[in-house]
């Protein structure tokens, strides 16, 4: 396993993490692999909407970053399984609070205990300052 650093300096840790998980499908791939070891077709079904090309590309990038392990079995027909590395498991653990935040805010409108902040008062125009007079 080799870890490839992408070019460019990172501003902060979040920037570096987003470089690894950026993209529409990577977080969903991580979620699916957190559930169990998957073959390519299983991952494709677990992440509906992703194309084979994009899934293959994202898996390669995650493997290059040391997040996903690709195991090739010498069988006929060939069998390939994907799993999370210890680094990938630690990334998923770091994403758990973000997932919790997302779940809490998906149902925000349905929860009567959550109140919206009061609206900002609208500024009324001040009369008598001479604006708009010819």
């Amino acid at each position: 396993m080799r870890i490839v650093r992408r070019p460019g300096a990172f501003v902060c840790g979040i920037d570096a993490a987003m470089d690894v998980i950026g993209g529409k499908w990577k977080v969903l791939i991580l979620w699916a692999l957190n559930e169990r070891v998957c073959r390519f077709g299983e991952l494709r079904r677990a992440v509906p909407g992703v194309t084979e090309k994009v899934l293959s590309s994202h898996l390669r990038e995650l493997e290059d970053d040391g997040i996903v392990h690709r195991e090739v079995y010498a069988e006929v027909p060939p069998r390939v399984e994907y799993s999370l590395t210890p680094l990938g498991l630690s990334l998923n653990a770091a994403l758990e609070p973000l997932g919790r935040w997302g779940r809490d805010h998906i149902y925000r409108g349905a929860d009567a205990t959550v109140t919206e902040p009061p609206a900002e008062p609208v500024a009324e125009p001040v009369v008598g300052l001479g604006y708009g007079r010819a």
Side-chain angles (χ1 to χ4, degrees):
M1 164 181 66
R2 64 187 173 92
I3 297 177
V4 177
R5 303 287 179 226
R6 294 192 179 100
F10 297 116
V11 176
C12 64
I14 292 175
D15 189 20
M18 291 305 294
D19 186 59
V20 173
I21 62 170
K24 183 175 181 179
W25 306 106
K26 285 186 181 178
V27 175
L28 295 175
I29 294 167
L30 291 172
W31 172 79
L33 290 176
N34 198 53
E35 298 295 311
R36 64 187 183 91
V37 174
C38 292
R39 295 176 71 175
F40 186 86
E42 294 170 325
L43 273 174
R44 180 133 189 255
R45 286 186 295 276
V47 183
V50 68
T51 64
E52 287 185 18
K53 179 181 176 183
V54 170
L55 179 59
S56 178
S57 170
H58 282 346
L59 285 169
R60 246 188 327 273
E61 289 173 13
L62 289 167
E63 185 181 5
D64 288 344
D65 288 332
I67 304 297
V68 168
H69 173 70
R70 181 177 186 260
E71 182 73 31
V72 181
Y73 294 91
E75 298 176 353
V76 177
R79 178 171 53 121
V80 178
E81 292 182 340
Y82 296 91
S83 61
L84 292 177
T85 64
L87 189 60
L89 291 169
S90 71
L91 177 57
N92 264 357
L95 290 172
E96 283 178 16
L98 183 61
R100 190 169 35 257
W101 183 91
R103 282 189 304 277
D104 290 347
H105 287 80
I106 285 174
Y107 303 110
R108 189 174 193 181
D111 187 3
T113 61
V114 176
T115 59
E116 292 293 322
E120 291 288 324
V122 177
E124 296 292 326
V126 178
V127 180
L129 292 179
Y131 295 110
R133 294 188 186 182

